[in-house]
Amino acid sequence: MKYTKYLLFFLITQFSAQAQAPNTSLDLVQYVNTLQGTNSKHELTKGNTYPTTALPFGMNTWSPQTGNNGDGWKYQYFKETIRGFQQAHQCSSWSNDYAVFSLMPVTGTLELNEDKRAAKFSHANEIAKPHYYKVQFENNITTEMSPTERGVHMRFSFPKNQASYIVLDGYTGMSGVSIDVKNRKITGFVQNGKGFDQVKELKNYFVIEFDKPFKTQGTWENRKGEKAAGNLTAEGKGAGAYLQFKEGETVQVKIASSYISYEQAQLNLKRELGSFKKLEDTKEAARKVWNKQLSKVVVEGGTEEQMRTFYSCLFRASLFSRKFYEEKADGSPVYFSPYDVKVHDGYMYTDTGFWDTFRAQFPLNALLSPQMHGRYVGALVDAYDQFGWLPSWSFPAEAGSMIGNHGISLLTDAWAKGFRTFDPQKALKAYYHETTNKGPQGPSNGRHGWKEYFTLGYVPYPEYGEATAKTLEYAYDDFCGYELARMTNNQFYQDVFSRQMYNYKNVYNAKDGFMEGKNINGKWKQNFDPYEWGGPFTEGNAWHYLWSVFQDPQGLINLTGGDDNFTKKLDAVFTSPNTVNVGTYGGKIHEMTEMEVDNMGQYAHGNQPIQHMIYMYNYAGQPWKAQFHVRDVMEKLYNSTENGYPGDEDQGQTSSWYVLSALGFYSVCPGTDQYVLGSPVFAKTTINLENGKKFVIEAKNNNKDNVYIHSATLNGKEYTQNFLTYGDLTKGGTFKLEMKNTPNKTRGTKDTDRPFSLTKK
């Protein structure tokens, strides 16, 4: 079958129903706190987020800046001053940011230096919503921001009879500015951040328009702080500009940017901001966009705090991945590729790391934003054409961070759920290339130890760092490669990957009951300690990685000695002491501290490897324990405040875990069409699907104590299975649950009730 037929089939089946817009009259943005998770620092993170002002999946975001230029912790709740308002793209404090520039209002004496111009503020004078950010400094300057997809509308209100300056800071790399006094405009570019180091040709062009005339103007550079009064152009490291307006002025500023050209930046500004005369117009338009996105899921019957937590998490989950494409004058998509540095027609996305987000963020997108998701996986294969590799951590080019080759997870998961926006044979070819080579970027660009993995059936340790974690994730990815080949009738790749998708068995040590490091001669790592972090594992220990067999839980159950032993081992995760042996890290990393603070034994929800583990009770005949623990984690480890997460939020993944879990299910094994059941938070949840249908979850008597499912019906018929399929959800219907405060130990316990596993019981 031709790829064009696949695409046509997808478009017909996925969107044949008349799309029904969610109810935008619901003002759900009121529940969102974009400060959620901002009280973070290097030693202990509560999300590592910043108060993002942006549209869903927007190309740019905007944020107040409390940290120094170049500091990954761009906004920390406990800081007392703000030094700028940034265009941002950061998805992790650890990876820092790129394509950044900032504006800062200054009164009194003109101060250009980022430390000297910083102004004190109080959170009592701060509003942080998706569509609108506002803060009043102690010096009485008020700053407001409302976003578009590629721009922002700002307003700076200066105190009466006081000097009014706006400083443009070019940040940490090369930049250029040109001041157009007559047209009240600054054009310029920035080149900063890791992605720009990799792709020298990549520039972020910006256009800034002001609604008030300049009184004086000039340029400056932020290395030595030298300024050139009256100068209209500058280019170099840290080049910036400053403007003076009349005393006590209120200045509206419209900004848009482009990776293609100044002309495209101007077109973006005209299209997205041209019709908005006042900031209130942009604010209202952004509010409507966000309410439409948030009302894709309407929840009822929870507490006020549960509503705030849910919609704050749904907001954060709706930011990634970011659009990297723009629109021509005729509205068609176009983008500058960070992979081959050419301009292409079509869609492109960036700013995500698949090691985190394959688990929940993309399966959530597949459910709530299928049109975008279809474009995304198509663009993933386009990136392979341009780069020669499937991306694994795009930022905006390939960084190769973390481990695994999880692009194949996204592709297989999409195909299993009916998406037909890419050529599966090209996808398989791309994945095969990943599995038989090591690329020039980080660990997940190709494979470390690929030859040994093929010949030995595992990646040896200490010959390769993180080897056991890599073995487990390679085996899962190979399952995805096998599954895509099976679904598309490619026998060659079925034969290749079927040999490797069980390789997890080769790093299981039955003597100790854990996955362990094994050297090239087949000998286990000496002095094994399940509490020891690092070494053969990635940001975790043996307690965390035992469960990384997404594709074959029954096979893992068999290795551990059957259902009883398996569930006892799951129980032991929570009952074991929260002991930390720092191992090869040599000192505590923040993930260790977060596990200790959470005080749930060895359950380390602040990092991704164990986040699916709770749901594995469903595979071993004790689904009620999944129901208890998932509700316990949501209640104890999440909230809507600045301390809202139990660790790094990580590009929407930790938020997506909460959103899916609050709905009552989770994607344990992306690459299949199943979402495994847990326990929903709300008495009623309505999923408003893009195809115009609704899937309603009614949980009778649901509350903080009644976390157990006693009975269930799907569209009026008794339902005992411990999973729902993507088809069940997207066809629409009603899933009714009766909730109680004691477990029903007979429901969902038959072998036929268990979710997918390669090995059958």
Side-chain angles (χ1 to χ4, degrees):
M1 183 181 290
K2 297 288 188 182
Y3 164 57
T4 52
K5 291 184 179 178
Y6 285 134
L7 177 57
L8 180 62
F9 175 78
F10 171 76
L11 293 173
I12 291 172
T13 57
Q14 196 73 14
F15 303 110
S16 58
Q18 178 65 36
Q20 176 178 312
N23 183 2
T24 57
S25 64
L26 295 172
D27 191 30
L28 298 177
V29 292
Q30 66 177 305
Y31 296 108
V32 177
N33 176 22
T34 68
L35 295 172
Q36 183 190 30
T38 58
N39 195 26
S40 298
K41 51 188 175 182
H42 186 278
E43 300 80 9
L44 179 65
T45 71
K46 291 296 184 178
N48 258 348
T49 60
Y50 54 93
T52 306
T53 307
L55 292 190
F57 314 109
M59 190 173 86
N60 304 321
T61 72
W62 293 86
S63 173
Q65 173 193 355
T66 64
N68 293 320
N69 286 352
D71 189 345
W73 283 263
K74 67 170 65 265
Y75 181 100
Q76 293 174 295
Y77 191 84
F78 55 85
K79 294 288 185 68
E80 297 180 343
T81 63
I82 288 173
R83 63 190 63 220
F85 298 90
Q86 294 184 345
Q87 185 187 94
H89 308 84
Q90 184 168 293
C91 52
S92 169
S93 298
W94 309 104
S95 58
N96 213 295
D97 206 346
Y98 69 89
V100 183
F101 60 92
S102 67
L103 295 184
M104 180 64 183
V106 176
T107 192
T109 303
L110 173 62
E111 295 287 0
L112 300 173
N113 176 274
E114 60 172 317
D115 294 320
K116 293 180 179 178
R117 71 179 187 241
K120 295 194 72 172
F121 76 107
S122 166
H123 295 298
N125 295 319
E126 187 179 33
I127 298 171
K129 295 295 180 184
H131 66 303
Y132 179 63
Y133 177 88
K134 179 181 179 181
V135 64
Q136 184 178 42
F137 296 140
E138 287 188 6
N139 63 19
N140 289 321
I141 296 176
T142 297
T143 299
E144 300 167 271
M145 301 189 293
S146 285
T148 67
E149 288 193 333
R150 298 164 188 87
V152 70
H153 199 153
M154 290 185 174
R155 183 163 59 203
F156 300 108
S157 301
F158 293 90
K160 290 183 178 181
N161 303 317
Q162 296 294 314
S164 305
Y165 298 97
I166 295 176
V167 177
L168 168 62
D169 194 320
Y171 210 60
T172 58
M174 288 294 294
S175 58
V177 294
S178 179
I179 303 171
D180 182 346
V181 177
K182 179 181 177 181
N183 294 301
R184 304 192 298 269
K185 180 188 297 187
I186 298 177
T187 55
F189 73 89
V190 288
Q191 290 179 295
N192 53 58
K194 185 176 181 180
F196 287 71
D197 292 339
Q198 292 176 288
V199 187
K200 303 297 184 185
E201 301 87 345
L202 188 59
K203 285 185 177 181
N204 184 32
Y205 303 92
F206 57 80
V207 177
I208 308 175
E209 293 184 352
F210 303 84
D211 73 335
K212 300 294 170 61
F214 312 151
K215 187 175 178 181
T216 64
Q217 61 280 322
T219 62
W220 72 293
E221 57 81 28
N222 62 23
R223 296 305 196 269
K224 297 180 181 179
E226 296 175 352
K227 74 174 182 175
N231 197 35
L232 299 181
T233 62
E235 185 170 323
K237 289 190 174 181
Y242 66 88
L243 306 172
Q244 183 181 13
F245 299 86
K246 77 175 185 180
E247 287 74 11
E249 188 66 279
T250 295
V251 184
Q252 290 196 105
V253 186
K254 294 180 179 180
I255 308 174
S257 64
S258 168
Y259 297 110
I260 298 172
S261 66
Y262 288 119
E263 293 76 17
Q264 183 66 47
Q266 186 68 56
L267 178 60
N268 293 343
L269 189 147
K270 180 180 179 181
R271 175 184 288 113
E272 297 184 3
L273 285 157
S275 63
F276 301 139
K277 292 185 178 181
K278 296 182 179 180
L279 182 136
E280 283 75 16
D281 300 328
T282 311
K283 175 183 175 183
E284 177 60 17
R287 186 189 70 82
K288 288 180 179 178
V289 171
W290 269 113
N291 279 333
K292 181 178 179 181
Q293 176 69 17
L294 297 172
S295 63
K296 289 180 178 181
V297 183
V298 177
V299 296
E300 304 171 57
T303 66
E304 181 79 5
E305 173 56 23
Q306 287 170 334
M307 296 276 283
R308 292 185 183 281
T309 302
F310 180 83
Y311 284 111
S312 295
C313 285
L314 181 55
F315 153 74
R316 190 95 24 204
S318 300
L319 295 173
F320 304 95
S321 294
R322 295 200 182 98
K323 297 174 180 177
F324 204 69
Y325 67 89
E326 303 170 51
E327 293 180 358
K328 298 179 184 178
D330 64 2
S332 60
V334 62
Y335 63 92
F336 179 91
S337 171
Y339 301 112
D340 68 358
V341 299
K342 297 177 182 178
V343 176
H344 297 268
D345 291 333
Y347 300 98
M348 185 55 64
Y349 299 82
T350 192
D351 295 351
T352 188
F354 295 160
W355 185 80
D356 302 295
T357 53
F358 85 87
R359 305 165 194 266
Q361 204 270 334
F362 283 102
L364 179 62
N365 281 353
L367 182 61
L368 299 186
S369 301
Q371 183 185 61
M372 187 207 72
H373 191 64
R375 291 171 176 172
Y376 189 98
V377 291
L380 196 60
V381 179
D382 291 340
Y384 163 72
D385 283 336
Q386 297 158 21
F387 181 49
W389 303 87
L390 285 172
S392 61
W393 190 290
S394 50
F395 189 63
E398 173 59 13
S401 303
M402 302 307 293
I403 64 171
N405 308 111
H406 299 314
I408 191 62
S409 173
L410 273 63
L411 293 162
T412 303
D413 189 66
W415 199 268
K417 291 169 179 171
F419 291 81
R420 299 293 183 264
T421 53
F422 64 93
D423 180 348
Q425 303 313 316
K426 183 182 288 187
L428 286 165
K429 178 182 177 182
Y431 177 61
Y432 183 71
H433 177 253
E434 293 282 315
T435 67
T436 54
N437 291 277
K438 176 66 194 78
Q441 274 77 37
S444 60
N445 179 217
R447 281 185 171 174
H448 277 148
W450 69 269
K451 291 181 181 178
E452 292 86 349
Y453 177 78
F454 268 121
T455 56
L456 300 174
Y458 62 94
V459 181
Y461 181 82
E463 288 80 3
Y464 295 92
E466 307 171 300
T468 302
K470 288 172 181 173
T471 300
L472 294 168
E473 299 203 20
Y474 294 170
Y476 161 70
D477 289 333
D478 287 342
F479 156 74
C480 291
Y482 165 81
E483 192 67 5
L484 183 58
R486 184 191 66 78
M487 290 187 290
T488 59
N489 301 311
N490 188 313
Q491 192 61 49
F492 173 76
Y493 289 121
Q494 286 185 69
D495 292 342
V496 170
F497 299 125
S498 64
R499 297 197 302 269
Q500 291 142 218
M501 59 188 179
Y502 295 100
N503 277 351
Y504 69 89
K505 296 180 180 180
N506 297 328
V507 290
Y508 180 76
N509 188 342
K511 174 178 172 291
D512 299 320
F514 286 98
M515 304 293 178
E516 297 180 24
K518 182 190 289 187
N519 72 17
I520 201 165
N521 296 316
K523 294 184 178 180
W524 297 109
K525 179 179 178 293
Q526 293 184 345
N527 302 317
F528 171 71
D529 176 1
Y531 301 99
E532 181 181 358
W533 286 57
F537 302 110
T538 301
E539 297 178 359
N541 63 28
W543 278 107
H544 308 147
Y545 276 91
L546 174 59
W547 318 105
S548 293
V549 188
F550 318 100
Q551 73 278 20
D552 196 21
Q554 186 60 53
L556 181 61
I557 290 169
N558 294 346
L559 282 181
T560 58
D563 289 350
D564 287 344
N565 285 342
F566 184 78
T567 52
K568 287 177 182 177
K569 197 81 167 189
L570 287 168
D571 294 343
V573 171
F574 296 103
T575 59
S576 294
N578 60 353
T579 301
V580 168
N581 178 343
V582 299
T584 56
Y585 285 102
K588 278 191 179 180
I589 59 175
H590 70 94
E591 288 89 352
M592 300 172 187
T593 304
E594 288 148 13
M595 188 187 78
E596 291 178 319
V597 169
D598 293 344
N599 196 28
M600 300 182 81
Q602 287 294 309
Y603 185 72
H605 189 82
N607 210 15
Q608 280 65 46
I610 205 169
Q611 286 182 352
H612 69 291
M613 166 242 146
I614 289 173
Y615 288 90
M616 298 193 87
Y617 282 108
N618 286 287
Y619 297 80
Q622 295 187 10
W624 63 90
K625 289 184 178 178
Q627 294 156 27
F628 168 80
H629 285 296
V630 73
R631 291 288 289 273
D632 193 44
V633 167
M634 286 191 282
E635 180 70 23
K636 291 179 179 177
L637 302 188
Y638 286 81
N639 60 65
S640 67
T641 75
E642 66 275 9
N643 299 309
Y645 295 100
D648 286 346
E649 198 282 322
D650 283 330
Q651 309 105 55
Q653 164 58 27
T654 305
S655 292
S656 296
W657 184 96
Y658 183 92
V659 172
L660 285 173
S661 295
L663 297 181
F665 45 77
Y666 185 73
S667 49
V668 171
C669 186
T672 72
D673 66 347
Q674 293 183 359
Y675 295 82
V676 178
L677 294 186
S679 174
V681 167
F682 299 96
K684 183 179 180 181
T685 302
T686 302
I687 304 174
N688 294 301
L689 298 156
E690 273 189 8
N691 61 15
K693 298 180 180 179
K694 298 177 184 289
F695 190 84
V696 180
I697 302 159
E698 296 180 1
K700 183 181 178 182
N701 300 321
N702 199 10
N703 58 40
K704 182 179 177 181
D705 298 316
N706 293 348
V707 302
Y708 298 104
I709 299 173
H710 259 248
S711 62
T713 62
L714 179 61
N715 298 326
K717 296 181 180 179
E718 183 183 9
Y719 196 83
T720 62
Q721 292 177 311
N722 294 320
F723 60 89
L724 293 166
T725 68
Y726 185 77
D728 291 334
L729 297 167
T730 57
K731 282 186 287 190
T734 302
F735 190 44
K736 291 187 176 182
L737 308 172
E738 183 182 7
M739 310 298 293
K740 292 188 177 181
N741 62 3
T742 56
N744 180 349
K745 296 185 178 181
T746 60
R747 186 201 162 274
T749 58
K750 301 190 298 292
D751 292 347
T752 53
D753 294 328
R754 301 185 180 201
F756 171 84
S757 178
L758 278 171
T759 301
K760 308 303 177 186
K761 187 173 181 183

